[in-house]
Every structure is written in structure tokens, then in C-alpha cells.
Amino acid sequence: MYGSYGNGLDEVARRFHRHLRSRKHHVSTDRPVTLNVWEAVYFDHDLGRLTDLADRAAALGVERYVLDDGWFGSRRDDTSGLGDWVVSPDAWPEGLGPLIDHVTGLGMQFGLWFEPEMVNLDSELARAHPEWVMAPSAERIPFESRYQQVLNLSHPGAFEHVHRQMDALLNEYDISYIKWDHNRDLVEAADRSSGAAATHAQTLAAYRLMDRLKADHPGLEIESCSSGGARVDLGVLERTDRVWVSDCIDPLERLSMNRWTSQLIPFELMGSHIASGRSHTTGRLHSLSFRAAAALMGHLGIEWDLAEATEDELSELRTWIELYKQRREFLFTGDLVRADRGMDALWLTGVVSPTKDRALYVLACTESTELATVGQVRLPGLDPRSRYRVRPLVLGETPSNLRWPAWALDGVDPATDRNYRGRHELPLTDGIELPGAALANTGLAAPLMDPETAVLIEVEAVGRPESSDRSGTSERSATPARPETAGPAGD
């Protein structure tokens, strides 16, 4: 049983984050940029296509390559093969060696998908050992979900079968990462021979399998996927190195999912990928800047057929990856902050360094606003006694119809119209200096933003405010405006 308390949700979240980061086995801050090929190829495993994806990923700076479902047994779709963890000679006549050697030769780690706790009835395993399938009796099995049933790992034979096949692959190939999936609920989860409840024993057996594989293969990382975010808890995180928040990578949906997943776990444990322009789960179209900004506050990855990306998209994607690499140590050691603007369309999520000398915020517009101007954006978590340089940050193509206020523009008097309509194409300023107290309590005029767009705001400390400066203004500071009624979600 774990508990946390604090003044506001951010403080509660940070206590959980500090606990997880204090563990001896906690992941390093050097979290590798990951490419998962699922939405690029699905079950269409072709060596030429997959090596081409690897080449494109390595050129962008990707550091880990994950081969998803479809490489084993009769698994040409999701109706068969689960439980037969041997490389398919039909899909991979030369085995996985040629792909893995190509990936690792490019300097990337290789990861592989498994679903160890599940079984298709159309599999060699289920035909040989129907008694290993969880069911309330020998005469009846649970309602089928995604063409699969649950394999009873608490049965010693089932456990040893799965361990032996997984261990053989880890011994044969240079696999440093497992994507561990779990795509159905446990319904009528019982030992088929006795009818005894088996959910608790199944959980312990899954933990034991993870522990044994990691003990036998030092350095192996495991992701808890579970049909997306169905198994995100502190128990599984004692054995895994990140969770997959959801199979929905639509950035608008992920903003909300990531916001509340981070209430429990820090960003470095939270898989957060940049998807293709059109979401495979919702059908929405989004700009690359919005997709990348939504994914930045997490363990960054890509889930996109890079062969379909334009040269401009690849160039912008490379810029986002470089930004992530430059700032990941800071992102994965800093404190989470969020500005709660009530029912407003602007969401602000940020990280402030433990010494409060720097911060990075993602400001996202999630829906249309009723008013043309949306007021102030407060930047929580800063030292009120310190002075900061604040600068807007736009990577790649400028979001549609974005209009920065005067404070963000070079050569414009910040005391004028907040959203300087006639000069929205002026270059952005390299920074405006303001006290932390002014940024946290009064804030800055918000930009005008289209729905489903995002920008970054970067903050660095430049020293303590002068004792004579009690107004909270500077030579480039905007006139303080009326504060919003809602303050930060945290302290």
C-alpha cells in the first residue's frame, strides 16, 4: 500500500516521482529514442521494408528499434499463433538475425514484442496443452476476446514452456528490450482442472517470469504494454522499466492521458510516441509540431512509417529528437508542474529543475476558445526571488494562425497590444527578463492559438532581482494584467 499527500496534485505527484526515482534499479536519464514498427507495418513483416525503416530511423537519431507482433509461429494476423514463441520460418526464413544485425550495426538497440500470458486456441501450444488455458472447467472456456484466451502461468508446465522459449530467443539474439503485452482481461480466471481462482497466482507467476528473465539477462529492459495502459501500477513497475500509456497515440487524447498518468509515474517511465499525421485510432489529422510537443513530456519514441514522411517532416522530426536528447536528463530529474486554468482550452505542463534554475513548459490548446484573448498564462514552480529569462520556442513549421503577444516578439514594446496582430511574422525575441514571482502569480499574456496546436516556453535563471525593483517589470516586461481566478494545480 502506497500513499502520498501534499498541497495540491502536483506536490502529491512529485512525492510519488521522488519515491520511484530513489529506487536502486530505477532507469537512467539517458532514455533512448525508440522506434516501434507496429503502425508502420502491422503484420506485414518484410526484411527489406524493415531494414529500410531502420536506416531512416538511425539517420534521425533513433536509438532503439522494436519489432512488434507478427514474427512468430503462425502469427500472420491476430487469430493464431499466440503461445508459440519460435521465429516463423514463413515470415523470417533466415531467422531474425539479418534484421537484428542490421539494426545493431546501425548503433541501435533491438527490442522484440511478446505476449507471454496469452494464447490463441489456434496454436501448437493450445492444441498440445488445452489444460493450461484458464477456464472455470474442462467443459467451458471464457468468452473469447481478440481471438485469445489467458495462459495459466501458475501451472508449472505452462510457466516453463514460456520461459524456455523466451530465454532461448534472448540467448540466440542480441535483444535488449521486451515489449510485454497483455491484450485481454482475465474473465473467469480459474485453474481449468480444479476450478480454483487463479488471478492472484497468475499475477505472481508473471512477476516471477519477469524477475527470472531479468536475472538471467542483465541489462534487459521490459515495457509493460497491456493493450496500452491497462497495467500501469507500482507493482509491475518494480519489474519493468516503462509503461505504454495507451495504444491510442492521437496527441489530443494523449495530452489528457499523459497528464494523469504522470500523476503517479515520472516522465522517464512513460512511453510517449510521435505518430503519423493521421491517427490510426481516431482518424484525426495533426501537425507534426503538435504531435511532437504532446509526446515530449515522456520517454520519447516514434510510431510512424517513416518512408511516408516528407523531407520537411523528417527534418523537423530530427529537430525534435535533438531537443529531447539535449534536455532529457533535465526532464527526467526535474519536478512536474501543471497550470490548472479550470475549464480553459489552454493546458500548460512543465518541468522545473530541482534547483529552480531552468524550466521547460508545453502550452497546448485543446479546443476552440470562446474569447479572442485568453488572458494570462502563469508559469508555476519557479523561485519567486530569482530573475528569469523567458523565451518562446517554436520548432519546425509555425503552428497555424499562431499569434504571439508582444512580449514574445523582437523589436516590439511589450507594453503595447498583447497580441500584436500587425506584426505576427516578426522574429521571436531571444528572451524577456522577469522575476519568478511575477511569472508565477501574474504570468504572461497567452498567444492566440488554433485548437490542437502547441508551443514551448523555455525559462532560465539569470540572477536575483534587484532590491530596488519592486514593480515586477523590466525593460522588456509586459504591463501586469489582471490575474486569472485559477492558479497552479500544484504548490
Side-chain angles (χ1 to χ4, degrees):
M1 175 69 72
Y2 293 87
S4 176
Y5 66 93
N7 179 21
L9 292 176
D10 283 1
E11 187 174 315
V12 171
R14 289 194 291 267
R15 289 176 184 270
F16 276 119
H17 297 178
R18 284 195 292 270
H19 161 69
L20 289 166
R21 286 170 172 170
S22 69
R23 303 170 303 162
K24 291 182 179 179
H25 62 278
H26 191 65
V27 298
S28 73
T29 58
D30 194 23
R31 306 301 286 138
V33 179
T34 299
L35 173 75
N36 188 283
V37 305
W38 176 241
E39 288 195 358
V41 302
Y42 289 101
F43 289 103
D44 184 17
H45 285 203
D46 174 79
L47 179 60
R49 187 176 180 189
L50 288 165
T51 54
D52 177 69
L53 271 174
D55 292 338
R56 295 172 187 272
L60 292 172
V62 170
E63 299 160 307
R64 175 183 286 160
Y65 180 105
V66 180
L67 182 65
D68 213 287
D69 194 359
W71 55 268
F72 54 92
S74 60
R75 190 73 166 179
R76 307 287 77 78
D77 56 31
D78 59 1
T79 64
S80 70
L82 276 180
D84 301 332
W85 302 111
V86 292
V87 178
S88 168
D90 297 327
W92 295 96
E94 299 180 67
L96 294 178
L99 177 63
I100 294 176
D101 290 345
H102 188 81
V103 167
T104 56
L106 292 168
M108 294 184 289
Q109 300 174 15
F110 183 84
L112 193 60
W113 183 94
F114 290 90
E115 197 171 6
E117 298 153 83
M118 299 295 157
V119 61
N120 290 127
L121 295 185
D122 183 6
S123 65
E124 297 300 323
L125 174 62
R127 284 187 283 270
H129 293 283
E131 73 277 11
W132 291 353
V133 178
M134 276 193 172
S137 69
E139 292 73 32
R140 184 168 63 86
I141 60 173
F143 184 79
E144 192 173 63
S145 177
R146 205 175 180 243
Y147 308 106
Q148 63 193 61
Q149 297 289 344
V150 182
L151 183 67
N152 186 2
L153 290 183
S154 67
H155 191 292
F159 181 97
E160 288 304 325
H161 165 83
V162 175
H163 173 264
R164 181 173 63 254
Q165 291 193 334
M166 293 181 71
D167 185 62
L169 287 162
L170 294 173
N171 283 325
E172 181 177 358
Y173 297 117
D174 186 4
I175 299 169
S176 57
Y177 180 84
I178 289 176
K179 181 177 178 180
W180 188 299
D181 220 332
H182 185 283
N183 279 315
R184 67 155 293 163
D185 294 327
L186 273 65
V187 178
E188 296 186 293
D191 184 287
R192 196 169 189 177
S193 59
S194 66
T199 301
H200 183 63
Q202 175 80 353
T203 302
L204 295 180
Y207 286 171
R208 189 166 69 254
L209 180 57
M210 293 176 186
D211 290 343
R212 188 166 167 186
L213 290 171
K214 295 195 87 172
D216 291 343
H217 302 277
L220 177 69
E221 287 199 10
I222 299 176
E223 174 189 67
S224 173
C225 178
S226 195
S227 193
R231 186 154 60 185
V232 180
D233 60 73
L234 298 183
V236 78
L237 278 171
E238 285 301 302
R239 295 157 177 87
T240 59
D241 304 280
R242 81 170 202 170
V243 298
W244 182 231
V245 175
S246 173
D247 282 341
C248 177
I249 324 175
D250 180 318
L252 182 62
E253 303 293 335
R254 274 300 191 102
L255 281 173
S256 178
M257 295 176 189
N258 290 0
R259 183 179 180 86
W260 297 114
T261 303
S262 64
Q263 186 61 35
L264 176 66
I265 65 174
F267 290 143
E268 61 268 27
L269 299 179
M270 196 170 74
S272 190
H273 288 190
I274 301 169
S276 55
R278 182 180 292 278
S279 170
H280 288 210
T281 51
T282 68
R284 292 192 188 105
L285 281 168
H286 290 113
S287 67
L288 177 52
S289 64
F290 184 62
R291 284 138 55 201
L296 182 63
M297 297 291 178
H299 180 188
L300 188 70
I302 302 167
E303 195 122 357
W304 181 7
D305 186 353
L306 297 174
E308 296 182 352
T310 67
E311 287 302 317
D312 286 344
E313 287 176 322
L314 293 173
S315 177
E316 182 176 343
L317 183 55
R318 187 179 296 107
T319 301
W320 282 99
I321 290 172
E322 290 170 354
L323 178 79
Y324 165 80
K325 289 182 177 180
Q326 292 164 2
R327 289 161 176 78
R328 58 186 162 191
E329 182 174 358
F330 154 67
L331 290 172
F332 301 150
T333 57
D335 292 331
L336 168 70
V337 292
R338 295 166 291 192
D340 186 352
R341 294 169 52 94
M343 299 300 292
D344 201 354
L346 291 187
W347 288 19
L348 185 132
T349 304
V351 173
V352 180
S353 68
T355 56
K356 299 185 183 297
D357 64 339
R358 62 186 300 198
L360 181 65
Y361 302 92
V362 174
L363 179 65
C365 184
T366 60
E367 58 185 347
S368 299
T369 57
E370 296 180 357
L371 301 175
T373 56
V374 293
Q376 305 293 104
V377 174
R378 302 181 194 176
L379 305 182
L382 304 174
D383 181 356
R385 301 166 299 168
S386 294
R387 197 168 191 81
Y388 293 92
R389 177 171 289 275
V390 185
R391 71 182 184 108
L393 193 57
V394 174
L395 279 68
E397 185 177 358
T398 300
S400 62
N401 295 319
L402 173 65
R403 293 184 183 271
W404 284 102
W407 67 263
L409 301 175
D410 190 32
V412 177
D413 183 356
T416 61
D417 180 18
R418 290 183 193 165
N419 293 93
Y420 215 95
R421 293 184 176 276
R423 302 186 183 177
H424 62 276
E425 294 183 356
L426 287 173
L428 298 178
T429 179
D430 62 356
I432 175 174
E433 291 186 15
L434 284 168
L439 293 169
N441 296 322
T442 301
L444 297 166
L448 293 178
M449 302 171 66
D450 274 352
E452 300 173 33
T453 61
V455 296
L456 307 182
I457 300 175
E458 192 161 49
V459 179
E460 292 188 15
V462 294
R464 300 289 185 182
E466 296 177 5
S467 59
S468 60
D469 183 3
R470 300 180 183 275
S471 64
T473 63
S474 75
E475 64 275 10
R476 286 212 80 250
S477 63
T479 303
R482 183 174 67 254
E484 300 291 315
T485 56
D491 49 359

